[in-house]
Amino acid sequence: MTDASATAVPRETLLGQLRAAVGAAHVLTDDQATRRFRKGHRAGEGAVLAVVRPGTLLEQWRVLQAAVAAGRIVIMQAANTGLTGGSTPDGADYDREIVLVNTLRITGVQVLGGGEQVVCLPGATLDRLEQALAPLGREPHSVIGSSCIGASVLGGICNNSGGALVRRGPAYTQLALYAQVREDGALQLVNHLGIVLGDTPEEILTRLQSGDYTAADVLHDPQRAASDPNYGEHVRAVDADTPARFNADPSRLFEASGSAGKLCLFAVRLDTFPKEPSTVFYVGSNAPDDLTAVRRHLLTALPRLPIAGEYIHRTAYDIGERYGKDTFLLIDRFGTARVPAAFALKSRIDGFFERFGLRGVTDRVIQGLTHLLPSHLPPRMLQMRERYEHHLLVRVSNDTADATRDFLAQHFGPSSTGGFFECDAEEGRKAFLHRFAIAGAAIRYREAHRASVEDIVALDVALRRNDRDWVEQLPADVEGDVIHKLYYGHFFCHVFHQDYIVKKGVDPLAMEHRMWALLDARRAEYPAEHNVGHLYVAKPALAGFYRELDPTNTFNPGIGHTSRLQGWEACCDAPAAWPKGYSEP
């Protein structure tokens, strides 16, 4: 790391300012203490000057003031559950020291009206939001999935995160309170939350933190939306020659939404959604065209969109059953609220053993223990696994269950290549829980098989809505470098997660670039919902959006392989900045 900041505020002076702002106990500088913050959930790791954990919005503002005035990089982080390393440093080639601001201490969900909208503070997690809305009979944008690992609400907005719920589209709002560094280097607080809170940052942040506002202060501007108002119509267009959703879609980039940490968020205002009684159907087939027919019919013929449609390939099913068992059992027995604490404890234990060169100790121990336990999945799911290669979980509201049942019965006749069954409540819950436990199973497989696995290449891909050839066929030379391929995803949105467990000795980065070329040939968009992080290249429109938000490159520099230098020197629009192997579309 080049210490360009040495000519600005000295390191110890800045550390003193940060300690004065939040208290010495919440300014972490020791490598062991900072490990779980500066190391990504799946990717990304780097050094920091300090991890700072403010406890109030005003403390967050004062930390930001000190770091910006000192000429340091600021990386904002909440739950650190991203899969592409977008909320941690990545490597050591930054030109300034990094202050990482973790906001999880600033919890808070404020319900507006009868619960139709909420204001979420930086530490609000999807799980806590779901708990706050449950007594009101309402739900947040995303349930289970990201909420299982304690993902933050603001993190979802920053990344236009997707999700399993077909009607709701990517996480999106045009109502946010955020700080921005202008081109002249001045820090400003922008209140686009639609709530009258005062004039100065101190007044605005203090009143918001305490909920010191009335219903009359909450403005309702029809020109500003608190969720994506057009996604339902968009996803129904099954003959469109473009994907339904992807991170670089310019129509869903707006201030905080899609900002990827290029702003400092203090709050977002979001719509909530009625929680409806629903029915789950479990569909299996050995013919991909069967699932295509189900998708196209249910998206176009039902009077209301399905709630969810999740795909699982048999290999992903098997890896998830064996290597995601502990995640499944933890959530099944204790709920999602315990998962973040379990992840944090695991990270601390892993950090202790890594000091002695021992990696993956907890993963191997947990895997050894869970391997001794009997299967945790319902018998009818196990029977479907034996019969069929392709699996689809369909959740519909009860007012469309009859129409769905009639269609499936007609489509999967006696001579069909597939079949289905209607889940009872327990089967439906466990089927979807299994689907989301699969997401972390490849990581566990890697840690349990370090001798044969080099790493994981993880892609999230948006196919065109009219693409019927959705089953990937890899070239023989690529296939030979892979131990397992895990395909799963949000089938009705045509968004797929593709995890490749790579053989020892194979260069994962080179393989990822080969995969990009294959996806470009299929006219797919990627990433679809986890955002670019430090793994993907931000395409020109997205990189331009980042530069517009953060003209001095103070926040999260290098995201999407853009410039890491102050002021965007050698910026992302120069051909030399694209990683080797990347072909600009």
Side-chain angles (χ1 to χ4, degrees), residues 285-296 390 411-412 417 468-471 491:
S285 180
N286 291 313
D289 286 348
D290 278 337
L291 270 60
T292 298
V294 172
R295 171 180 171 266
R296 292 176 64 87
H390 304 285
H411 184 80
F412 293 107
T417 53
R468 295 172 182 263
D469 297 323
W470 53 270
V471 177
F491 189 66

Side-chain angles (χ1 to χ4, degrees), residues 22-73:
V22 303
H26 300 297
V27 178
L28 311 178
T29 57
D30 176 75
D31 283 350
Q32 185 66 20
T34 60
R35 177 190 178 276
R36 69 187 180 99
F37 302 98
R38 55 183 176 78
K39 181 179 175 64
H41 178 65
R42 179 182 280 181
E45 182 176 6
V48 297
L49 169 63
V51 171
V52 187
R53 304 185 67 223
T56 68
L57 296 178
L58 189 54
E59 286 184 3
Q60 181 175 317
W61 173 253
R62 288 171 176 162
V63 167
L64 192 59
Q65 285 181 305
V68 170
R72 268 42 170 212
I73 288 169

Side-chain angles (χ1 to χ4, degrees), residues 109-122:
V109 173
Q110 300 173 2
V111 176
L112 302 181
E116 291 81 8
Q117 288 189 332
V118 291
V119 171
C120 292
L121 302 188

Side-chain angles (χ1 to χ4, degrees), residues 174-342:
Q174 297 176 342
L175 300 167
L177 175 65
Y178 59 87
Q180 184 174 35
V181 179
R182 299 195 309 245
E183 194 164 5
D184 62 2
L187 180 67
Q188 65 174 353
L189 187 69
V190 179
N191 183 7
H192 286 168
L193 201 57
I195 302 176
V196 178
L197 294 165
D199 300 316
T200 67
E202 290 75 15
E203 182 183 10
I204 292 169
L205 297 173
T206 301
R207 287 184 60 189
L208 179 61
Q209 180 96 47
S210 62
D212 181 18
Y213 56 89
T214 67
D217 295 319
V218 180
L219 309 179
H220 297 278
D221 182 351
Q223 301 303 312
R224 284 188 176 259
S227 62
D228 186 341
N230 302 313
Y231 189 72
E233 178 182 352
H234 199 64
V235 76
R236 280 192 188 273
V238 296
D239 291 314
D241 198 36
T242 56
R245 56 178 169 91
F246 56 99
N247 286 127
D249 185 349
S251 70
R252 297 189 180 95
L253 300 176
F254 188 91
E255 296 180 356
S257 296
S259 59
K262 301 302 287 183
L263 299 170
C264 173
L265 267 64
F266 289 86
V268 295
R269 180 173 157 190
L270 302 169
D271 289 331
T272 69
F273 305 88
K275 187 174 184 177
E276 299 184 60
S278 63
T279 300
V280 174
F281 296 91
Y282 196 112
V283 178
S285 180
N286 291 313
D289 286 348
D290 278 337
L291 270 60
T292 298
V294 172
R295 171 180 171 266
R296 292 176 64 87
H297 178 87
L298 296 185
L299 286 179
T300 59
L302 291 183
R304 300 178 66 209
L305 281 169
I307 295 172
E310 292 294 294
Y311 171 73
I312 307 172
H313 183 267
R314 179 187 275 157
T315 302
Y317 182 112
D318 291 345
I319 298 293
E321 181 182 14
R322 181 170 181 180
Y323 295 93
K325 184 183 289 187
D326 60 306
T327 299
F328 181 104
L329 293 175
L330 177 65
I331 298 170
D332 186 45
R333 303 291 172 85
F334 301 106
T336 58
R338 302 289 183 90
V339 178

